[in-house]
Amino acid sequence: MDLLTEWERIVEAPVGDDLCTRIRRSEQALMAHHEAVLRTYGLTMTQYSVLLFLSCQGDLSGAQLARRCGVTQQSMSSVLTNMESKELIRREASPVHAKVQIATLTDKGQAVLERAYQEVIVLERALTDAFTPSEHTALCELLERATTVLVQQTRQATGPSIA
C-alpha cells in the first residue's frame, strides 16, 4: 500500500467519540509523516530515535537505548549493527563492563540527524501553529493525562493474574 493510500485510509476512518481511536489515528498520522521523512535519509523511526538519544544524552548501552526506544534488546542489537555498518554510530566495550557495548554517535550520524531533524521539526511547528498558546498548553496537559491513564491501565492489565 502506498503512502497516499495509507494516509487517506487513516484520515477517512470513522471516529465517533472513541478517544482511543482518535489517539490511535493521530499516532498513525504522526508515524506515517515521520516514516516518510526519515525514509529519505535511510532511517527508521527507531534509528532516528537512537541518533536523537545519543546526541542529547551522550553514549549509551544497547540496553539503555532499547528501554528508551521501547524495543527489545534483541531488536536494538540488530538496529545498532545496521547503524554501525552505515557508520552512523560506533560501538566500543564499556570501560566498566567489558561485555557491555557502548554506542557513540559518529560525525556522519550527527550530520544525518541534523538534516533529518530540520524536516521533522516542520511538523512540530505546523502542529504548534494550529493552536493558540492556551490551546497548545491545554492539549499537552490533556495528552499527558491520557498517557498516564493508558500507562496505569496497561500495568493493571499486565499485572499478576489470579488463577
Side-chain angles (χ1 to χ4, degrees):
M1 184 179 308
D2 71 359
L3 189 60
L4 183 57
T5 304
E6 177 66 11
W7 174 253
E8 289 171 348
R9 185 187 65 75
I10 292 168
V11 172
E12 294 173 4
V15 175
D17 290 332
D18 183 9
L19 287 176
C20 289
T21 300
R22 289 175 186 269
I23 291 169
R24 185 165 192 269
R25 285 182 64 226
S26 293
E27 191 266 343
Q28 287 175 323
L30 175 66
M31 292 306 291
H33 174 271
H34 281 4
E35 288 170 4
V37 167
L38 296 174
R39 192 175 304 122
T40 64
Y41 295 95
L43 296 173
T44 66
M45 191 64 202
T46 301
Q47 291 171 333
Y48 176 77
S49 296
V50 166
L51 294 176
L52 203 54
F53 284 125
L54 292 175
S55 179
C56 295
Q57 299 177 2
D59 303 347
L60 296 167
S61 71
Q64 291 169 317
L65 287 164
R67 281 191 296 279
R68 284 168 175 77
C69 292
V71 300
T72 66
Q73 287 186 31
Q74 294 84 355
S75 293
M76 184 54 67
S77 177
S78 194
V79 167
L80 294 175
T81 297
N82 182 283
M83 294 178 75
E84 193 171 30
S85 72
K86 293 179 181 180
E87 300 178 351
L88 300 174
I89 64 158
R90 68 176 173 279
R91 291 187 285 180
E92 297 174 353
S94 166
V96 179
H97 301 287
K99 292 183 179 181
V100 174
Q101 293 283 306
I102 302 296
T104 303
L105 191 62
T106 63
D107 290 343
K108 180 178 179 181
Q110 183 67 42
V112 169
L113 172 62
E114 288 171 6
R115 288 193 312 272
Y117 181 79
Q118 292 308 310
E119 289 191 53
V120 169
I121 197 67
V122 169
L123 177 61
E124 180 69 32
R125 290 181 184 130
L127 283 169
T128 298
D129 292 346
F131 302 98
T132 66
S134 61
E135 288 173 331
H136 181 269
T137 299
L139 179 58
C140 290
E141 290 169 358
L142 293 169
L143 288 170
E144 283 300 319
R145 191 181 326 159
T147 300
T148 299
V149 170
L150 291 166
V151 169
Q152 289 170 346
Q153 291 297 309
T154 302
R155 286 186 184 137
Q156 289 175 9
T158 58
S161 62
I162 300 173

